[in-house]
Amino acid sequence: MLNLCDPRTIKQVMDMFGLNFKKEFGQNFLTDLMTVEDIADACSPDDSDITVLEIGPGIGCMTRCLCERYREVVALEIDTGLIPVLKYTLDGYKNVTVINEDVMKADLSEILAPYFAKGKVAVCANLPYYITTPILMKLIESQLPFESITVMVQTEVAQRLCAGAGGKNCGAITAAIDYYGDAELLFTVPAERFMPPPKVTSSVAKITLWKDKPQKPISEEMFFRTVKAAFEQRRKTLPNSLMTGFSEISKERLTEIIIECGHKPDIRGEKLTVADLVHLSDKLYAEINGGQV
Ligand code: SAM
């Protein structure tokens, strides 16, 4: 059997199908089988009776490991050129479905409905770096009941995912992730374990989604509007950054609301925890729609 992590084999397979690595699709393939196995193991260590959604199977190295560990695998690959490659490398694997689609355009709820009907679904991927945050936001905002999302991303992004809202390195994505689940940084993977090697170090992070979200804002839409406004102007103080997102409220009133929430008026948005952001968004909701919180 071909070792799809061996650099010579990767090159041979790509040549056989007349393909080059496409930078625009973030094609950096893993060349270390142990790393691939560690990622596949981390996806669902205690339960093999799940379906795994893989985003970007490439030539199928991690796809094979996932097929060997879990009940079923659904792999979404944007690059049409890789579809015949996957047919070749995954020949003999009966529990995989490869779909030639852009994950950002795919109707995940329709694609995954038959698999959710059968049981649990988790996500596992070595994500293309050019589009990591939009993919993660799409996955969590889809509100699909994934068990977990295990992803390899740029280390800087992984640190942001796992920073904990209010902590160092946190951003809007940190607050969104904290709202939906619990993120954990698993391990780091050096650039030389990829072909071609990326310019950055990578890390694997796992987000375990809450079954019942601990924070319940009055309006989820207002919560995300608050998060966006609080983080968009990170260098500004909270009243100033909220002014951009909430132009219907005066700066004086925004400052009062921030003080009513128990914060100093010169606080920056990045210092707020998810609970703080929920409280603030409820106050803003009441201010705009009338009522008390
Ligand atoms: N899984 C393989 C591995 O670990 O070696 C390849 C990972 S490579 C970093 C990213 C993969 O995602 C590539 O196969 C690329 O073509 C695919 N990809 C990029 N953008 C995509 C998108 N929007 N939807 C689906 N797949 C995408």
Side-chain angles (χ1 to χ4, degrees), residues 51-55 73-76 108 112 121-125 139 146:
T51 298
V52 178
L53 168 67
E54 186 189 8
I55 297 160
V73 177
V74 180
L76 290 190
L108 293 179
L112 296 171
V121 181
V123 180
C124 192
L139 290 172
F146 295 117

Side-chain angles (χ1 to χ4, degrees), residues 24-30 36 54-63 76-79 82 101-104 125-131 135 152 194:
E24 69 273 26
F25 289 153
Q27 290 181 351
N28 303 96
F29 297 163
L30 273 160
V36 174
E54 186 189 8
I55 297 160
I59 66 164
C61 181
M62 191 152 82
T63 321
L76 290 190
E77 174 55 61
I78 194 172
D79 185 358
L82 287 171
E101 258 197 77
D102 176 347
V103 66
M104 294 309 294
N126 171 13
L127 286 179
Y129 295 162
Y130 76 102
I131 197 177
I135 294 178
M152 170 125 71
F194 294 84

Side-chain angles (χ1 to χ4, degrees), residues 58-290:
I59 66 164
C61 181
M62 191 152 82
T63 321
R64 278 185 179 176
C65 287
L66 294 169
C67 287
E68 283 153 14
R69 283 163 179 72
Y70 303 112
R71 178 161 41 81
E72 267 177 286
V73 177
V74 180
L76 290 190
E77 174 55 61
I78 194 172
D79 185 358
T80 309
L82 287 171
I83 302 304
V85 178
L86 289 161
K87 201 167 165 13
Y88 169 70
T89 57
L90 299 174
D91 185 37
Y93 287 83
K94 304 266 177 270
N95 57 342
V96 60
T97 305
V98 175
I99 301 173
N100 184 199
E101 258 197 77
D102 176 347
V103 66
M104 294 309 294
K105 295 189 182 144
D107 183 342
L108 293 179
S109 104
E110 190 182 303
I111 291 172
L112 296 171
Y115 301 95
F116 278 114
K118 284 186 227 173
K120 297 176 184 171
V121 181
V123 180
C124 192
N126 171 13
L127 286 179
Y129 295 162
Y130 76 102
I131 197 177
T132 305
T133 305
I135 294 178
L136 286 172
M137 287 310 288
K138 172 163 181 170
L139 290 172
I140 56 172
E141 284 180 351
S142 71
Q143 308 262 6
L144 288 167
F146 295 117
E147 292 299 304
S148 59
I149 300 173
T150 303
V151 281
M152 170 125 71
V153 294
Q154 201 176 320
T155 296
E156 205 179 81
V157 176
Q159 284 168 342
R160 189 162 298 154
L161 298 180
C162 304
K168 206 172 141 232
N169 293 327
C170 92
I173 183 86
T174 320
I177 298 281
D178 272 14
Y179 175 69
Y180 285 108
D182 185 27
E184 188 189 353
L185 195 69
L186 299 183
F187 52 89
T188 294
V189 181
E192 59 269 21
R193 289 195 204 153
F194 294 84
M195 187 178 177
K199 292 200 174 65
V200 293
T201 307
S202 306
S203 291
V204 177
K206 180 170 182 175
I207 305 158
T208 306
L209 295 154
W210 307 122
K211 298 265 177 279
D212 183 22
K213 292 189 207 94
Q215 298 295 334
K216 298 184 174 46
I218 296 173
S219 155
E220 231 173 43
E221 196 190 333
M222 186 62 73
F223 171 70
F224 283 106
R225 195 176 154 197
T226 308
V227 170
K228 192 162 175 274
F231 284 92
E232 215 157 48
Q233 315 265 326
R234 294 186 61 172
R235 284 176 212 289
K236 294 192 175 169
T237 61
L238 191 55
N240 283 328
S241 56
L242 287 185
M243 261 170 63
T244 323
F246 291 92
S247 53
E248 66 269 55
I249 310 176
S250 69
K251 185 178 173 190
E252 290 67 36
R253 183 63 195 129
L254 283 170
T255 307
E256 276 169 24
I257 292 172
I258 290 163
I259 294 169
E260 283 166 23
C261 286
H263 307 295
K264 292 200 174 128
D266 61 351
I267 191 170
R268 287 173 206 278
E270 65 199 31
K271 294 279 172 234
L272 301 181
T273 64
V274 172
D276 293 335
L277 287 159
V278 167
H279 188 197
L280 178 60
S281 91
D282 286 351
K283 284 268 193 196
L284 292 166
Y285 182 90
E287 182 71 19
I288 293 166
N289 297 286

